[in-house]
Amino acid sequence: MRFLPVFLDLKAGPVVLIGAGELLRAKLRVLAAAGARIRVHAIDGNPDFGLSSEDARVELAGGDPLTADLSGVIAIVCAGAGDVGVAMSGRAKALGLPVNVMDDLEHSSFIFPAIVDRGDVVVAVGTGGTSPVVARRVREKIEALLPARIGELAEFIGTFRKSINERIAEFPLRRRFWERVIDGPIGAAVLAGRKGEADASLKAISDPSEFARADKPEGSVALVGAGPGDPDLLTIKALRALQDADIVFHDELVSPEILDRIRRDTTRVPVGRRVGKPGIGQDAINKRMIEAAQAGQRVVRLKGGDPFVFGRGGEEVEALRAAGVAYSIIPGITAGLGGAADFEVPLTYRHEATRITFLTAHKARDAENVDWSTLTDTKMTVVVYMGMTAAPAVRAGLFAAGRSPETPVGVFARVTRPDAQGAIGTLRDLPELVRRIQGGPAILIIGDVVRHAGSLGRQTSKKTPKQIISDLLDAAE
C-alpha cells in the first residue's frame, strides 16, 4: 500500500486549488461538497466556477500561485494546471504541505479516492492512483450495499455515546452494548427512518451494562420479497437482510441464483411447495419463524415475488404481531410487473388500458370462485397468477361473462430468468398457449395491451462474473 488513507480536517484551514477549465471546476465541486474553504487560482483567468457567487467558502485569489502566501493552508490541489502544477508541487513539498497534481503520481503526495458519502459515514476507495475507473466501479458497489441512512445511524450513536460510555466503565462491555444497539431493533428502527422510536427505546434502557451482558440476543423476522427470479432485481435492502440472516425460510420457487446471495454460514430451510407436492403448511411456517426469533435469531422469510401479492405475507404478519416478535417487511418485484417488463407488455396504456386486476387461479375451483362479470371491461388488463392448470376454467369464465374470444392473451413463464419463455395469442387459444410453455411458474396477461409485447425471441443480456471482470479491465485501460 503506497498511499495511506487519511481524512483531512477541513475546518483547520483553506485548500488552495490551482488550474483551469472543466478539470478545475470538477475538483472545485468535490471540495465544495465536502465543506472545504477553497482559495482558487484560475490560471486561465476565467472566474466562472459553476458555483453560487454567494458561496462564502470559495475565494478567488489573484496573483501568481507560486509566490502566494500559503500560511494556514492545509493542502494544495492542481487540476488542469500544466507546468504550474509541477512547479507548485515542488513548492508544496518544500513547505511540507500535502499536494495533489491531477493524473500525476510523481508530483503528488496524496491522491483523491472515490468517495461514498453518507453523512457521518464516509468510505474512500483508492487504487494507488493506477485506475480511477476501477475505484469508481468499486464505489458504486459499496454505495449499493450501504443503507441510505447509515450516516444517520452513526449520528444517532454519536448523540448517546458520551453518556453511555460514562455509565459503562469496561471498554469490552461498551463495545458489546453498541453492537447490540446497531444489530438489534434500535439500529433497525433508525435505518428504517423511525428515529423517534429508536431514541425512546435507547433512553428506556435503565441499566446499559446489564443490557450489554444479556446472553439472549433480540431476534426478529424480515419478510423479504425475492422478486420473480433474476437476482439482480433483489432490492438492496433485501440483499442486506440475506447477508445478515441467521436462518432463512424460503419458498421452493426462489431461484438458486437468489439463494446464492445468502451468507454461506446461514441456515437455509425450504418451506414452500410445488404443485401436487405437500408443504409443511402455513401454521407450521409461522410457528418455526416465531420460535427462531424468540431464540434470538435474525430470521428471513424469503418469498418469490412480493410478500403481500399472493404471498400470504399478511397472515405471517398477523402471527408475528400476536407473538410479540419484531418484524420488518421488504417488498419485492411481483411476477406480474417482472413479466410485463421482461416481455415489454405495458400493463396500462393511454386511452387503451386504464385499470389492472391481479388475481390467482391456482386450480380450476379457484377460477370457478372468481366473479368474472367484473372483468369484462376491455380497458382492464387482467393478470392471473398460478393460472396454468386452471387456464381452461379461466377461459370459460371470461367467455361466459362476455369477454371476446379475440382478446389478446400472453402466457409468460419463468419471467426475468435466462430461460424465460412466452407465448402470445387470443383468449380462444389460451389452453394451447399454456401447452407451448415448457413448465412454470407462469403468469397470464389478458387484455389489448398484449398487442404491444416485444419480441418473444429476446436474448438474455446477463454477463458472467468473468465477463464483468473483463469489462472492468477494459475500462481501466
Side-chain angles (χ1 to χ4, degrees):
M1 180 174 63
R2 175 179 171 183
F3 291 93
L4 176 68
V6 296
F7 291 89
L8 287 174
D9 181 3
L10 295 175
K11 294 182 179 180
V15 175
V16 170
L17 176 60
I18 305 164
E22 184 54 38
L23 296 178
L24 172 74
R25 289 190 286 273
K27 276 291 185 281
L28 182 61
R29 288 192 292 269
V30 171
L31 292 168
R37 287 183 289 148
I38 313 159
R39 189 180 300 162
V40 184
H41 290 267
I43 61 176
D44 60 355
N46 183 1
D48 181 12
F49 302 141
L51 294 177
S52 169
S53 60
E54 300 177 355
D55 194 331
R57 296 171 302 168
V58 180
E59 170 195 348
L60 177 59
D64 186 352
L66 294 175
T67 59
D69 181 14
L70 299 179
S71 300
V73 169
I74 61 171
I76 297 172
V77 178
C78 302
D83 292 340
V84 175
V86 175
M88 198 66 194
S89 169
R91 186 182 179 204
K93 290 177 179 178
L95 294 172
L97 288 174
V99 60
N100 171 265
V101 181
M102 187 174 178
D103 291 333
D104 187 346
L105 288 179
E106 180 184 352
H107 293 100
S108 297
S109 62
F110 79 94
I111 58 176
F112 275 84
I115 297 171
V116 179
D117 185 358
R118 292 287 193 275
D120 283 356
V121 175
V122 177
V123 181
V125 181
T127 58
T130 58
S131 181
V133 173
V134 170
R136 289 200 298 271
R137 292 292 183 266
V138 174
R139 179 193 65 193
E140 290 166 6
K141 298 294 185 183
I142 294 173
E143 283 183 325
L145 290 172
L146 282 180
R149 294 189 176 93
I150 190 71
E152 294 178 28
L153 179 58
E155 180 185 14
F156 172 82
I157 290 172
T159 61
F160 288 93
R161 185 180 178 189
K162 183 178 179 181
S163 63
I164 293 296
N165 288 356
E166 288 174 349
R167 297 167 66 187
I168 304 178
E170 304 91 341
F171 177 78
L173 206 56
R174 289 180 194 169
R175 182 176 59 193
R176 176 58 183 150
F177 176 89
W178 291 118
E179 286 175 348
R180 291 202 63 200
V181 167
I182 292 170
D183 295 335
I186 295 176
V190 176
L191 295 178
R194 304 192 305 272
K195 194 172 179 180
E197 175 187 324
D199 188 270
S201 297
L202 199 148
K203 288 178 179 177
I205 298 174
S206 58
D207 187 340
S209 295
E210 187 61 32
F211 176 84
R213 290 191 186 97
D215 293 328
K216 183 178 177 182
E218 296 171 88
S220 62
V221 176
L223 304 184
V224 177
D230 182 351
D232 288 339
L233 292 179
L234 277 172
T235 66
I236 300 304
K237 199 169 185 179
L239 184 59
R240 287 199 299 269
L242 294 179
Q243 288 292 305
D244 289 342
D246 298 311
I247 184 169
V248 176
F249 297 96
H250 64 86
D251 288 346
E252 288 287 349
L253 292 178
V254 174
S255 69
E257 294 80 9
I258 288 175
L259 295 178
D260 283 343
R261 303 297 174 97
I262 300 170
R263 200 177 69 246
R264 294 292 181 234
D265 60 342
T266 297
T267 302
R268 306 179 190 187
V269 182
V271 294
R273 65 184 180 89
R274 291 182 179 271
V275 176
K277 296 182 179 180
I280 70 171
Q282 189 62 53
D283 289 343
I285 294 172
N286 294 346
K287 183 174 183 290
R288 294 183 70 173
M289 286 195 303
I290 291 167
E291 287 175 348
Q294 290 176 337
Q297 292 187 295
R298 290 169 294 188
V299 180
V300 164
R301 173 69 175 102
L302 186 62
K303 298 169 169 292
D306 180 271
F308 282 2
V309 181
F310 306 122
R312 304 189 74 171
E315 298 171 52
E316 291 172 347
V317 164
E318 292 290 345
L320 294 169
R321 284 178 188 161
V325 171
Y327 65 88
S328 61
I329 301 159
I330 302 175
I333 296 175
T334 187
L337 302 183
D342 214 17
F343 291 94
E344 302 172 26
V345 180
L347 297 181
T348 62
Y349 203 90
R350 185 174 173 84
H351 303 309
E352 186 175 303
T354 58
R355 300 167 62 196
I356 309 169
T357 293
F358 296 95
L359 61 91
T360 179
H362 191 213
K363 298 178 181 178
R365 66 171 176 267
D366 297 330
E368 292 168 1
N369 292 329
V370 175
D371 183 0
W372 296 104
S373 66
T374 63
L375 305 175
T376 58
D377 183 354
T378 58
K379 291 189 175 183
M380 176 189 293
T381 302
V382 179
V383 182
V384 183
Y385 287 68
M386 298 173 281
M388 293 181 69
T389 302
V394 170
R395 180 183 65 173
L398 287 170
F399 277 178
R403 195 98 185 211
S404 168
E406 302 305 316
T407 301
V409 171
V411 179
F412 305 109
R414 304 173 300 283
V415 298
T416 77
R417 302 183 188 184
D419 63 341
Q421 190 178 12
I424 288 176
T426 65
L427 188 57
R428 177 188 291 110
D429 306 322
L430 179 56
E432 173 57 30
L433 297 177
V434 170
R435 282 191 285 272
R436 292 184 202 170
I437 299 300
Q438 298 168 1
I443 58 166
L444 320 178
I445 301 181
I446 302 168
D448 291 345
V449 292
V450 177
R451 292 195 182 100
H452 300 285
S455 170
L456 300 183
R458 62 171 182 71
Q459 292 184 347
T460 178
S461 61
K462 295 180 177 63
K463 296 183 179 181
T464 66
K466 189 174 182 180
Q467 290 171 317
I468 293 171
I469 293 172
S470 176
D471 288 349
L472 288 175
L473 292 175
D474 289 343
E477 293 175 0

